[in-house]
Amino acid sequence: MSTLAELLADHTGLPGESVDHLQLVVAEWQLLADLSFADFLLWVPVQEGADDFVCVAQVRPTTAPTAHPEDVVGERFTTDEHPQLTRAMREVRICREEEPHWYNDLPMRREAVPVRLGEAVIAVLSRETNLASPRVPSPLEIAYLGSAADLCQMIADGTYPSPETNIDVHTSPRVGDGLVRVDQSGTVVFASPNGQSAYHRMGYESDLIGTRLAPLTRSLVRDPFDATDVSHRILEALDGKPGTRTEVESRRGAVVLFRALPLRPAGRAAGALVLIRDVTEVKRRDRALMSKDATIREIHHRVKNNLQTVAALLRLQSRRMQSGEARQALGESVRRVSSIAMVHEALSMSVDERIDLDSLFDKVLPMVNEVATAESQVRMSRTGSFGVVAAEIATPLVMVVAELVQNAVDHAFAGGRTGRVELVVERSARWLDVLVRDDGKGLPAGFTLERADGLGLQIARTLVESELRGSLSLRGIHEDDTAEGDDTAEVESPGRGDGEHDEGGHRVSGTEAALRIPLSRRS
C-alpha cells in the first residue's frame, strides 16, 4: 500500500506546502469521521486532467457502520460519476447530493467538502454516510453532527487543521473517550456520557451542563501549574487558538488527558470542543510496570555486586596457592564469574531486559586476554555486530564466546608464539553466526569436539546445546584451504597439538570454531 505522500507524488503536482496540509487533514480526520458517523475519502484531481479525481486516503468511523467495506484508495472517479467533487472545488463550498446514492447495494448520502489552503482549493473530502441502518436522532447524535458540520466548514474555510497544532494521533483523546462542547462564553452545552464520567472520576459529581468548564477543571486538578495550564488551553480554544494534548492528575488521583479544539465556522466564534480521556488505569499499570522494572534492575545490580565479591575472593585465594595449575584454574574461574557479572551489570542499566552485546564484548575480550596463560601477547579483533539480544541469550552466549576465545589464546599460541584471534559475527533476522579464528597451532591429530576433555569446551558445548539451542563445530585451517567453511556457523576451538601438519601432510595455519544460534526463542 502506497503512502499518502507517494500517491500525491504519482498523481498530482502539488507543492510541499499543500502536501503537508493534506497530511494534517488525514492526521485529524478520524475525529471528523466519528463525529459524522460517516466515511471520509480524500480526493485530488489527477495531474493530466481536472475532470478525473483519484482517492488518495480513506478513513472509517468507529461510531457507525462503514459505507465502504472495500478499500477505495487508488480508484478514479470522473465528474459524471461524482459531480459534487468538481462543484466543491469550483464553488469553494460544501456540496451535498439531493438524493441518496447507491453504491455496491448500499444506500449512502455523499457530501463534498473543499480542502482549502490559503486562496486555493487543493483537494476535496467526500463525506459518505451509510443509510442502511436508520438512526433515531438523539442529543448525542445532534451534538456530534453539529460539531462535525462546524469542523467541515472550517476545512472549507482553510482554518482547520491549523499548522500550529502538534498532533499525536496515537495518544490524543478521541470522540469515544469523552467529548464536551462549550459555547462562546465557555459554558458547557453538551457532555457525552464518557465525558461526564471522566469528570466524575476527577471529583465533580453534578451535571456538567451549564457550568463554566475552565474554572471547574482548574478547581479539580491537584497541581496548581497543571490546573492553570489546562484551563488556559480551554480559554485559548475559545479565542480561536488550536490546542494540544495535556495530561493532568485530579485531587482524587484520576489521570485525564485533555485536548481543546476551537470552533469557528465561516469565521464565526461557536465555542470549542474538549476531548477527554480517562487514563487512570493505564497510568496505574505503567507505574506498576515501572516499579517492577526498577526492582528487576536492582536485583541485577545486587547480583553483579555479589558476583564481583566472589571473583575478588577467588582472586585472593589464587594468590595464596603454591601450585601453578591451581592458580590457573582459579584465574579461569575469576574470568567466568566476571563475565557473568558484566552481563548483570548491563541488565541493571537496561529498561527492557535486552543487552547491547557489542559494548559488552568490548569489555569481556580484553579481560580474557589479561587472564590468558599464553606467554606472548595476542592481538584480538572483532568484525561484524552482535547487536541487541534478549537477556536469556546474553549470559550463555557471552560465556560460550569467552570460553572459545580463552581456549584459542591458551592453546594456539603456547610456547611464546605471537598471533591474532579474530572474532567474526554475522547476524540475520533468524540466525546469529559467530566465528572465532586464530593463526596459531592447529588441532591435535585425531581431535574431535565430542571427545574433548577440556573444561572450557565442555562448558561451551553444554551451554550451546541446552541454553542456546544452537550448534558448535571446530576445524583446522590449512594453508591450501579456499573455502570459508560449511553452512554451520564456526567458532574457534581450543586444544591444539604441537605439530604443524595434519595427517594428510597439509600445513596447518590455525583453527576456527563456529557457533550458530537461533535468535527466535521458539520451543
Side-chain angles (χ1 to χ4, degrees):
M1 177 65 69
S2 300
T3 65
L4 174 59
E6 291 170 342
L7 289 169
L8 292 174
D10 291 340
H11 298 287
T12 74
L14 291 175
E17 183 181 6
S18 298
V19 174
D20 291 342
H21 185 72
L22 293 181
Q23 295 277 18
L24 283 176
V25 171
V26 170
E28 284 277 38
W29 69 349
Q30 186 65 60
L31 170 65
L32 291 172
D34 291 343
L35 289 173
S36 301
F37 308 99
D39 292 61
F40 273 79
L41 308 177
L42 179 60
W43 300 89
V44 293
V46 296
Q47 194 168 10
E48 61 269 17
D51 290 337
D52 289 349
F53 288 81
V54 62
C55 180
V56 293
Q58 173 181 3
V59 67
R60 298 179 176 91
T62 61
T63 52
T66 178
H68 290 282
E70 79 293 348
D71 192 12
V72 187
V73 175
E75 290 192 10
R76 289 195 180 195
F77 275 17
T78 64
T79 299
D80 293 336
E81 294 173 313
H82 203 333
Q84 286 75 24
L85 297 178
T86 302
R87 286 180 55 201
M89 287 201 73
R90 291 176 179 172
E91 300 176 15
V92 197
R93 67 179 182 88
I94 299 175
C95 299
R96 179 177 179 178
E97 286 183 332
E98 296 180 0
E99 297 294 334
H101 174 82
W102 286 85
Y103 184 80
N104 288 347
D105 298 328
L106 284 178
M108 68 174 67
R109 176 171 285 113
R110 299 193 301 193
E111 295 175 84
V113 181
V115 180
R116 186 174 176 181
L117 178 62
E119 298 300 321
V121 176
I122 59 175
V124 181
L125 284 180
S126 177
R127 179 166 61 171
E128 310 196 356
T129 306
N130 186 346
L131 302 178
S133 301
R135 307 180 63 88
V136 178
S138 64
L140 182 144
E141 183 168 350
I142 293 171
Y144 278 20
L145 291 174
S147 301
D150 289 343
L151 291 174
C152 286
Q153 183 58 53
M154 293 171 64
I155 289 178
D157 298 337
T159 58
Y160 177 78
S162 170
E164 302 173 5
T165 305
N166 184 15
I167 304 168
D168 187 343
V169 295
H170 300 292
T171 59
S172 182
R174 297 190 175 188
V175 172
D177 297 324
L179 181 142
V180 176
R181 177 158 184 170
V182 297
D183 61 15
Q184 302 91 310
S185 65
T187 302
V188 176
V189 294
F190 171 79
S192 71
N194 284 344
Q196 187 77 52
S197 296
Y199 270 87
H200 285 173
R201 291 291 298 272
M202 294 177 68
Y204 185 71
E205 302 295 341
S206 302
D207 193 352
L208 285 173
I209 305 298
T211 63
R212 298 288 300 276
L213 192 64
L216 170 64
T217 305
R218 183 172 57 243
S219 67
L220 298 175
V221 177
R222 173 178 296 172
D223 187 282
F225 294 101
D226 289 343
T228 301
D229 180 58
V230 68
S231 63
H232 181 65
R233 291 180 188 274
I234 296 174
L235 295 175
E236 279 189 335
L238 294 174
D239 292 335
K241 297 180 181 179
T244 57
R245 190 198 66 157
T246 305
E247 181 181 303
V248 298
E249 183 176 354
S250 72
R251 298 180 186 276
R252 289 192 176 182
V255 182
V256 180
L257 294 178
F258 283 90
R259 186 183 175 204
L261 297 170
L263 295 177
R264 293 200 164 224
R268 174 182 54 84
L273 285 181
V274 180
L275 299 174
I276 308 165
R277 182 184 178 192
D278 182 2
V279 294
T280 305
E281 297 304 321
V282 176
K283 285 296 178 182
R284 189 170 297 164
R285 287 194 295 268
D286 286 347
R287 289 166 182 166
L289 289 174
M290 290 177 63
S291 176
K292 290 181 180 178
D293 179 70
T295 301
I296 292 172
R297 285 189 281 128
E298 176 62 21
I299 291 172
H300 284 304
H301 180 71
R302 294 189 182 187
V303 170
K304 182 263 297 184
N305 288 342
N306 291 338
L307 289 174
Q308 287 182 334
T309 301
V310 172
L313 293 174
L314 290 174
R315 193 176 294 110
L316 288 173
Q317 184 65 46
S318 69
R319 293 174 183 172
R320 295 174 176 269
M321 301 301 296
Q322 300 298 321
S323 169
E325 184 177 353
R327 284 198 301 270
Q328 178 182 347
L330 287 174
E332 292 179 355
S333 298
V334 169
R335 188 258 305 160
R336 289 171 183 137
V337 172
S338 298
S339 297
I340 301 175
M342 288 183 180
V343 175
H344 283 281
E345 181 180 20
L347 286 171
S348 70
M349 296 181 288
S350 172
V351 296
D352 57 358
E353 288 289 292
R354 295 174 65 83
I355 298 178
D356 181 359
L357 283 185
D358 293 328
S359 60
L360 186 59
F361 273 111
D362 288 342
K363 300 177 182 177
V364 172
L365 294 181
M367 179 186 65
V368 172
N369 206 9
E370 288 176 3
V371 301
T373 60
E375 300 175 9
S376 302
Q377 183 68 35
V378 176
R379 300 188 308 276
M380 292 187 182
S381 63
R382 174 172 60 86
T383 303
S385 174
F386 286 92
V388 178
V389 301
E392 61 181 352
I393 296 178
T395 300
L397 180 58
V398 169
M399 289 286 292
V400 169
V401 175
E403 292 296 339
L404 294 172
V405 173
Q406 177 77 49
N407 281 312
V409 173
D410 285 347
H411 298 283
F413 307 103
R417 287 171 173 257
T418 60
R420 180 171 57 91
V421 175
E422 182 182 9
L423 189 63
V424 181
V425 186
E426 291 185 2
R427 179 170 180 164
S428 64
R430 184 176 180 182
W431 299 102
L432 178 65
D433 293 329
V434 183
L435 180 67
V436 181
R437 287 198 192 99
D438 66 63
D439 56 0
K441 297 179 180 179
L443 296 172
F447 176 88
T448 61
L449 182 60
E450 292 73 18
R451 288 183 291 182
D453 56 0
L455 178 60
L457 277 182
Q458 290 181 1
I459 291 174
R461 284 184 57 202
T462 301
L463 291 176
V464 169
E465 294 172 1
S466 63
E467 299 291 331
L468 298 176
R469 306 175 195 173
S471 61
L472 177 65
S473 62
L474 300 174
R475 76 180 186 98
I477 305 175
H478 307 120
E479 288 187 350
D480 55 353
D481 281 348
T482 57
E484 289 295 328
D486 55 16
D487 291 338
T488 53
E490 298 180 350
V491 188
E492 298 216 357
S493 136
R496 310 298 156 85
D498 295 330
E500 296 185 358
H501 293 78
D502 64 9
E503 294 178 346
H506 300 97
R507 184 171 181 82
V508 175
S509 60
T511 305
E512 65 182 18
L515 172 68
R516 164 167 281 193
I517 63 170
L519 291 176
S520 59
R521 312 306 292 165
R522 292 191 295 264
S523 58

